[in-house]
Amino acid sequence: MPLRISDSAGNISYYSTVASALTWAADHGARVANISYIVSHVAAIQSAAQYMRSKGGVVVASAGNTGAAMSFANTSSIITVAGTDSSDNRASWSAYGPIVDVAAPGVSIRTTAKGATYGSYSGTSFSSPLTASVVALMLSANPSLQPSQVDSILTSTADDRGTAGRDDYYGYGRINAARAVAAAKAQATSDSSAPVVSATVPSTTIKGITTVSATATD
């Protein structure tokens, strides 16, 4: 469900456009949204993200490529993603701070490009959709997951990097798709209770046509 929120140069014209897109996506059944822009600190977008969460969806956004500390407070409505390199170290250009929840690969990511070609690019604009993709896989494995459960599984299964525990560079660690999906699937509940069935049948041998009544509840 691609929703355009930028101008012709790829820049966000208004934060309200992003908020409107999130609301529209939530109202049309989207359960995962990716925003490859620095928007996690914007109140209007936080409100729209919370609206999506109220409908069972999760919003993921980029931390940014400033290479500097971000003073924004963490928000529970958006999963904010920093960038790592092929050695699982923080990319030098990745923004950091309390707002970061997790990190994901962001260096030399192979993807589509203008002119119907492919190329390799770097930035948290790629770390964020990789994380959103893992969330989508988790929800595919267990559609009953609530947003708070997605948050918990994604952070608890991440590979811890940097200082032990959560830190401002990696958040709770670099995402681990295999562990996250396995943990999501493990939380899926199955119905092991048999249906309750009752039937009214003739008490004697019969010949010909007769009526048998039955009911079942589950």
PDB file of all heavy atoms in Angstrom, residues 149-176:
ATOM      1  N   GLN A 149       2.976  -6.570  22.064  1.00  0.00           N
ATOM      2  CA  GLN A 149       3.675  -7.845  21.957  1.00  0.00           C
ATOM      3  C   GLN A 149       4.734  -7.790  20.860  1.00  0.00           C
ATOM      4  O   GLN A 149       5.822  -8.349  21.019  1.00  0.00           O
ATOM      5  CB  GLN A 149       2.676  -8.968  21.683  1.00  0.00           C
ATOM      6  CG  GLN A 149       1.721  -9.255  22.822  1.00  0.00           C
ATOM      7  CD  GLN A 149       0.694 -10.293  22.440  1.00  0.00           C
ATOM      8  OE1 GLN A 149      -0.098 -10.085  21.524  1.00  0.00           O
ATOM      9  NE2 GLN A 149       0.697 -11.425  23.134  1.00  0.00           N
ATOM     10  N   VAL A 150       4.404  -7.123  19.753  1.00  0.00           N
ATOM     11  CA  VAL A 150       5.387  -6.957  18.679  1.00  0.00           C
ATOM     12  C   VAL A 150       6.601  -6.202  19.220  1.00  0.00           C
ATOM     13  O   VAL A 150       7.755  -6.604  18.983  1.00  0.00           O
ATOM     14  CB  VAL A 150       4.775  -6.190  17.490  1.00  0.00           C
ATOM     15  CG1 VAL A 150       5.864  -5.825  16.477  1.00  0.00           C
ATOM     16  CG2 VAL A 150       3.693  -7.024  16.818  1.00  0.00           C
ATOM     17  N   ASP A 151       6.360  -5.115  19.930  1.00  0.00           N
ATOM     18  CA  ASP A 151       7.457  -4.336  20.520  1.00  0.00           C
ATOM     19  C   ASP A 151       8.340  -5.213  21.388  1.00  0.00           C
ATOM     20  O   ASP A 151       9.571  -5.206  21.276  1.00  0.00           O
ATOM     21  CB  ASP A 151       6.900  -3.190  21.388  1.00  0.00           C
ATOM     22  CG  ASP A 151       6.097  -2.188  20.590  1.00  0.00           C
ATOM     23  OD1 ASP A 151       6.231  -2.144  19.360  1.00  0.00           O
ATOM     24  OD2 ASP A 151       5.323  -1.440  21.224  1.00  0.00           O
ATOM     25  N   SER A 152       7.699  -5.959  22.274  1.00  0.00           N
ATOM     26  CA  SER A 152       8.434  -6.779  23.239  1.00  0.00           C
ATOM     27  C   SER A 152       9.249  -7.862  22.553  1.00  0.00           C
ATOM     28  O   SER A 152      10.428  -8.074  22.871  1.00  0.00           O
ATOM     29  CB  SER A 152       7.444  -7.410  24.225  1.00  0.00           C
ATOM     30  OG  SER A 152       8.102  -8.262  25.138  1.00  0.00           O
ATOM     31  N   ILE A 153       8.644  -8.557  21.584  1.00  0.00           N
ATOM     32  CA  ILE A 153       9.354  -9.631  20.894  1.00  0.00           C
ATOM     33  C   ILE A 153      10.513  -9.083  20.070  1.00  0.00           C
ATOM     34  O   ILE A 153      11.624  -9.619  20.091  1.00  0.00           O
ATOM     35  CB  ILE A 153       8.387 -10.425  19.995  1.00  0.00           C
ATOM     36  CG1 ILE A 153       7.378 -11.195  20.850  1.00  0.00           C
ATOM     37  CG2 ILE A 153       9.152 -11.385  19.081  1.00  0.00           C
ATOM     38  CD1 ILE A 153       6.276 -11.847  20.041  1.00  0.00           C
ATOM     39  N   LEU A 154      10.264  -7.992  19.347  1.00  0.00           N
ATOM     40  CA  LEU A 154      11.304  -7.430  18.482  1.00  0.00           C
ATOM     41  C   LEU A 154      12.525  -7.003  19.291  1.00  0.00           C
ATOM     42  O   LEU A 154      13.668  -7.257  18.880  1.00  0.00           O
ATOM     43  CB  LEU A 154      10.743  -6.234  17.716  1.00  0.00           C
ATOM     44  CG  LEU A 154      11.646  -5.654  16.622  1.00  0.00           C
ATOM     45  CD1 LEU A 154      11.773  -6.635  15.458  1.00  0.00           C
ATOM     46  CD2 LEU A 154      11.087  -4.327  16.117  1.00  0.00           C
ATOM     47  N   THR A 155      12.305  -6.382  20.437  1.00  0.00           N
ATOM     48  CA  THR A 155      13.431  -5.893  21.250  1.00  0.00           C
ATOM     49  C   THR A 155      14.107  -7.013  22.034  1.00  0.00           C
ATOM     50  O   THR A 155      15.330  -7.020  22.177  1.00  0.00           O
ATOM     51  CB  THR A 155      12.966  -4.784  22.212  1.00  0.00           C
ATOM     52  OG1 THR A 155      11.881  -5.271  23.030  1.00  0.00           O
ATOM     53  CG2 THR A 155      12.497  -3.563  21.443  1.00  0.00           C
ATOM     54  N   SER A 156      13.313  -7.964  22.511  1.00  0.00           N
ATOM     55  CA  SER A 156      13.896  -9.026  23.341  1.00  0.00           C
ATOM     56  C   SER A 156      14.674 -10.048  22.517  1.00  0.00           C
ATOM     57  O   SER A 156      15.546 -10.749  23.058  1.00  0.00           O
ATOM     58  CB  SER A 156      12.804  -9.736  24.143  1.00  0.00           C
ATOM     59  OG  SER A 156      11.904 -10.414  23.292  1.00  0.00           O
ATOM     60  N   THR A 157      14.380 -10.157  21.222  1.00  0.00           N
ATOM     61  CA  THR A 157      15.098 -11.118  20.382  1.00  0.00           C
ATOM     62  C   THR A 157      16.242 -10.482  19.603  1.00  0.00           C
ATOM     63  O   THR A 157      16.959 -11.173  18.885  1.00  0.00           O
ATOM     64  CB  THR A 157      14.125 -11.774  19.365  1.00  0.00           C
ATOM     65  OG1 THR A 157      13.517 -10.750  18.557  1.00  0.00           O
ATOM     66  CG2 THR A 157      13.048 -12.578  20.081  1.00  0.00           C
ATOM     67  N   ALA A 158      16.411  -9.160  19.720  1.00  0.00           N
ATOM     68  CA  ALA A 158      17.486  -8.468  18.999  1.00  0.00           C
ATOM     69  C   ALA A 158      18.850  -8.890  19.537  1.00  0.00           C
ATOM     70  O   ALA A 158      18.988  -9.263  20.714  1.00  0.00           O
ATOM     71  CB  ALA A 158      17.312  -6.958  19.126  1.00  0.00           C
ATOM     72  N   ASP A 159      19.874  -8.850  18.681  1.00  0.00           N
ATOM     73  CA  ASP A 159      21.243  -9.149  19.102  1.00  0.00           C
ATOM     74  C   ASP A 159      21.830  -7.928  19.794  1.00  0.00           C
ATOM     75  O   ASP A 159      22.015  -6.877  19.163  1.00  0.00           O
ATOM     76  CB  ASP A 159      22.107  -9.514  17.893  1.00  0.00           C
ATOM     77  CG  ASP A 159      21.710 -10.851  17.283  1.00  0.00           C
ATOM     78  OD1 ASP A 159      21.092 -11.664  18.001  1.00  0.00           O
ATOM     79  OD2 ASP A 159      22.012 -11.086  16.105  1.00  0.00           O
ATOM     80  N   ASP A 160      22.104  -8.064  21.081  1.00  0.00           N
ATOM     81  CA  ASP A 160      22.604  -6.938  21.862  1.00  0.00           C
ATOM     82  C   ASP A 160      23.950  -6.475  21.325  1.00  0.00           C
ATOM     83  O   ASP A 160      24.857  -7.273  21.091  1.00  0.00           O
ATOM     84  CB  ASP A 160      22.733  -7.362  23.326  1.00  0.00           C
ATOM     85  CG  ASP A 160      22.939  -6.176  24.255  1.00  0.00           C
ATOM     86  OD1 ASP A 160      22.759  -5.034  23.792  1.00  0.00           O
ATOM     87  OD2 ASP A 160      23.275  -6.393  25.426  1.00  0.00           O
ATOM     88  N   ARG A 161      24.081  -5.183  21.106  1.00  0.00           N
ATOM     89  CA  ARG A 161      25.321  -4.588  20.626  1.00  0.00           C
ATOM     90  C   ARG A 161      25.674  -3.410  21.520  1.00  0.00           C
ATOM     91  O   ARG A 161      24.826  -2.838  22.194  1.00  0.00           O
ATOM     92  CB  ARG A 161      25.179  -4.109  19.176  1.00  0.00           C
ATOM     93  CG  ARG A 161      24.838  -5.196  18.177  1.00  0.00           C
ATOM     94  CD  ARG A 161      25.960  -6.171  17.988  1.00  0.00           C
ATOM     95  NE  ARG A 161      27.147  -5.507  17.464  1.00  0.00           N
ATOM     96  CZ  ARG A 161      28.378  -6.038  17.483  1.00  0.00           C
ATOM     97  NH1 ARG A 161      28.561  -7.233  18.010  1.00  0.00           N
ATOM     98  NH2 ARG A 161      29.395  -5.383  16.965  1.00  0.00           N
ATOM     99  N   GLY A 162      26.971  -3.031  21.509  1.00  0.00           N
ATOM    100  CA  GLY A 162      27.380  -1.897  22.327  1.00  0.00           C
ATOM    101  C   GLY A 162      27.324  -2.233  23.799  1.00  0.00           C
ATOM    102  O   GLY A 162      27.593  -3.363  24.222  1.00  0.00           O
ATOM    103  N   THR A 163      26.937  -1.263  24.623  1.00  0.00           N
ATOM    104  CA  THR A 163      26.804  -1.475  26.057  1.00  0.00           C
ATOM    105  C   THR A 163      25.723  -2.509  26.330  1.00  0.00           C
ATOM    106  O   THR A 163      24.692  -2.519  25.662  1.00  0.00           O
ATOM    107  CB  THR A 163      26.433  -0.151  26.755  1.00  0.00           C
ATOM    108  OG1 THR A 163      27.405   0.831  26.419  1.00  0.00           O
ATOM    109  CG2 THR A 163      26.373  -0.332  28.267  1.00  0.00           C
ATOM    110  N   ALA A 164      25.965  -3.374  27.295  1.00  0.00           N
ATOM    111  CA  ALA A 164      24.997  -4.420  27.617  1.00  0.00           C
ATOM    112  C   ALA A 164      23.641  -3.811  27.946  1.00  0.00           C
ATOM    113  O   ALA A 164      23.545  -2.821  28.668  1.00  0.00           O
ATOM    114  CB  ALA A 164      25.500  -5.264  28.784  1.00  0.00           C
ATOM    115  N   GLY A 165      22.596  -4.398  27.375  1.00  0.00           N
ATOM    116  CA  GLY A 165      21.266  -3.842  27.576  1.00  0.00           C
ATOM    117  C   GLY A 165      21.004  -2.726  26.578  1.00  0.00           C
ATOM    118  O   GLY A 165      21.737  -2.544  25.605  1.00  0.00           O
ATOM    119  N   ARG A 166      19.973  -1.956  26.826  1.00  0.00           N
ATOM    120  CA  ARG A 166      19.646  -0.883  25.901  1.00  0.00           C
ATOM    121  C   ARG A 166      20.673   0.239  25.964  1.00  0.00           C
ATOM    122  O   ARG A 166      21.161   0.601  27.016  1.00  0.00           O
ATOM    123  CB  ARG A 166      18.256  -0.307  26.242  1.00  0.00           C
ATOM    124  CG  ARG A 166      17.707   0.545  25.110  1.00  0.00           C
ATOM    125  CD  ARG A 166      16.875   1.734  25.577  1.00  0.00           C
ATOM    126  NE  ARG A 166      16.783   2.688  24.479  1.00  0.00           N
ATOM    127  CZ  ARG A 166      17.670   3.651  24.268  1.00  0.00           C
ATOM    128  NH1 ARG A 166      18.678   3.828  25.097  1.00  0.00           N
ATOM    129  NH2 ARG A 166      17.553   4.459  23.217  1.00  0.00           N
ATOM    130  N   ASP A 167      21.043   0.792  24.810  1.00  0.00           N
ATOM    131  CA  ASP A 167      21.911   1.969  24.761  1.00  0.00           C
ATOM    132  C   ASP A 167      21.431   2.879  23.631  1.00  0.00           C
ATOM    133  O   ASP A 167      20.594   2.498  22.829  1.00  0.00           O
ATOM    134  CB  ASP A 167      23.386   1.584  24.594  1.00  0.00           C
ATOM    135  CG  ASP A 167      23.653   0.860  23.281  1.00  0.00           C
ATOM    136  OD1 ASP A 167      23.549   1.502  22.215  1.00  0.00           O
ATOM    137  OD2 ASP A 167      23.962  -0.344  23.319  1.00  0.00           O
ATOM    138  N   ASP A 168      21.975   4.080  23.588  1.00  0.00           N
ATOM    139  CA  ASP A 168      21.488   5.086  22.641  1.00  0.00           C
ATOM    140  C   ASP A 168      21.946   4.850  21.204  1.00  0.00           C
ATOM    141  O   ASP A 168      21.403   5.470  20.280  1.00  0.00           O
ATOM    142  CB  ASP A 168      21.931   6.490  23.080  1.00  0.00           C
ATOM    143  CG  ASP A 168      21.147   6.985  24.269  1.00  0.00           C
ATOM    144  OD1 ASP A 168      20.142   6.342  24.633  1.00  0.00           O
ATOM    145  OD2 ASP A 168      21.538   8.013  24.851  1.00  0.00           O
ATOM    146  N   TYR A 169      22.945   3.977  20.992  1.00  0.00           N
ATOM    147  CA  TYR A 169      23.442   3.734  19.643  1.00  0.00           C
ATOM    148  C   TYR A 169      22.682   2.624  18.921  1.00  0.00           C
ATOM    149  O   TYR A 169      22.412   2.721  17.718  1.00  0.00           O
ATOM    150  CB  TYR A 169      24.929   3.380  19.680  1.00  0.00           C
ATOM    151  CG  TYR A 169      25.807   4.516  20.129  1.00  0.00           C
ATOM    152  CD1 TYR A 169      26.397   4.518  21.386  1.00  0.00           C
ATOM    153  CD2 TYR A 169      26.033   5.612  19.292  1.00  0.00           C
ATOM    154  CE1 TYR A 169      27.202   5.573  21.803  1.00  0.00           C
ATOM    155  CE2 TYR A 169      26.835   6.666  19.707  1.00  0.00           C
ATOM    156  CZ  TYR A 169      27.414   6.635  20.960  1.00  0.00           C
ATOM    157  OH  TYR A 169      28.199   7.689  21.370  1.00  0.00           O
ATOM    158  N   TYR A 170      22.350   1.557  19.651  1.00  0.00           N
ATOM    159  CA  TYR A 170      21.709   0.393  19.053  1.00  0.00           C
ATOM    160  C   TYR A 170      20.297   0.142  19.589  1.00  0.00           C
ATOM    161  O   TYR A 170      19.632  -0.775  19.121  1.00  0.00           O
ATOM    162  CB  TYR A 170      22.542  -0.867  19.321  1.00  0.00           C
ATOM    163  CG  TYR A 170      23.949  -0.813  18.798  1.00  0.00           C
ATOM    164  CD1 TYR A 170      24.996  -0.366  19.599  1.00  0.00           C
ATOM    165  CD2 TYR A 170      24.246  -1.229  17.505  1.00  0.00           C
ATOM    166  CE1 TYR A 170      26.303  -0.317  19.124  1.00  0.00           C
ATOM    167  CE2 TYR A 170      25.552  -1.206  17.025  1.00  0.00           C
ATOM    168  CZ  TYR A 170      26.576  -0.741  17.833  1.00  0.00           C
ATOM    169  OH  TYR A 170      27.872  -0.706  17.369  1.00  0.00           O
ATOM    170  N   GLY A 171      19.867   0.928  20.552  1.00  0.00           N
ATOM    171  CA  GLY A 171      18.616   0.614  21.212  1.00  0.00           C
ATOM    172  C   GLY A 171      18.762  -0.699  21.948  1.00  0.00           C
ATOM    173  O   GLY A 171      19.740  -0.902  22.666  1.00  0.00           O
ATOM    174  N   TYR A 172      17.837  -1.627  21.696  1.00  0.00           N
ATOM    175  CA  TYR A 172      17.920  -2.942  22.341  1.00  0.00           C
ATOM    176  C   TYR A 172      18.771  -3.920  21.542  1.00  0.00           C
ATOM    177  O   TYR A 172      18.928  -5.071  21.936  1.00  0.00           O
ATOM    178  CB  TYR A 172      16.521  -3.516  22.552  1.00  0.00           C
ATOM    179  CG  TYR A 172      15.760  -2.808  23.649  1.00  0.00           C
ATOM    180  CD1 TYR A 172      14.909  -1.753  23.346  1.00  0.00           C
ATOM    181  CD2 TYR A 172      15.914  -3.176  24.979  1.00  0.00           C
ATOM    182  CE1 TYR A 172      14.221  -1.084  24.358  1.00  0.00           C
ATOM    183  CE2 TYR A 172      15.241  -2.518  25.988  1.00  0.00           C
ATOM    184  CZ  TYR A 172      14.395  -1.473  25.668  1.00  0.00           C
ATOM    185  OH  TYR A 172      13.724  -0.805  26.670  1.00  0.00           O
ATOM    186  N   GLY A 173      19.303  -3.475  20.415  1.00  0.00           N
ATOM    187  CA  GLY A 173      20.179  -4.334  19.638  1.00  0.00           C
ATOM    188  C   GLY A 173      19.796  -4.374  18.173  1.00  0.00           C
ATOM    189  O   GLY A 173      18.831  -3.743  17.734  1.00  0.00           O
ATOM    190  N   ARG A 174      20.601  -5.105  17.399  1.00  0.00           N
ATOM    191  CA  ARG A 174      20.329  -5.271  15.971  1.00  0.00           C
ATOM    192  C   ARG A 174      19.265  -6.339  15.791  1.00  0.00           C
ATOM    193  O   ARG A 174      19.345  -7.415  16.361  1.00  0.00           O
ATOM    194  CB  ARG A 174      21.617  -5.657  15.237  1.00  0.00           C
ATOM    195  CG  ARG A 174      21.496  -5.506  13.709  1.00  0.00           C
ATOM    196  CD  ARG A 174      21.228  -6.817  13.021  1.00  0.00           C
ATOM    197  NE  ARG A 174      22.343  -7.720  13.193  1.00  0.00           N
ATOM    198  CZ  ARG A 174      22.201  -9.003  13.481  1.00  0.00           C
ATOM    199  NH1 ARG A 174      21.005  -9.533  13.639  1.00  0.00           N
ATOM    200  NH2 ARG A 174      23.269  -9.770  13.633  1.00  0.00           N
ATOM    201  N   ILE A 175      18.241  -6.032  15.023  1.00  0.00           N
ATOM    202  CA  ILE A 175      17.122  -6.955  14.852  1.00  0.00           C
ATOM    203  C   ILE A 175      17.587  -8.323  14.377  1.00  0.00           C
ATOM    204  O   ILE A 175      18.546  -8.443  13.631  1.00  0.00           O
ATOM    205  CB  ILE A 175      16.068  -6.394  13.880  1.00  0.00           C
ATOM    206  CG1 ILE A 175      16.695  -6.097  12.510  1.00  0.00           C
ATOM    207  CG2 ILE A 175      15.389  -5.163  14.461  1.00  0.00           C
ATOM    208  CD1 ILE A 175      15.681  -5.777  11.431  1.00  0.00           C
ATOM    209  N   ASN A 176      16.894  -9.363  14.836  1.00  0.00           N
ATOM    210  CA  ASN A 176      17.196 -10.733  14.431  1.00  0.00           C
ATOM    211  C   ASN A 176      15.896 -11.336  13.909  1.00  0.00           C
ATOM    212  O   ASN A 176      15.014 -11.719  14.680  1.00  0.00           O
ATOM    213  CB  ASN A 176      17.727 -11.536  15.620  1.00  0.00           C
ATOM    214  CG  ASN A 176      18.189 -12.921  15.225  1.00  0.00           C
ATOM    215  OD1 ASN A 176      17.473 -13.657  14.556  1.00  0.00           O
ATOM    216  ND2 ASN A 176      19.387 -13.292  15.648  1.00  0.00           N
TER     217      ASN A 176
END
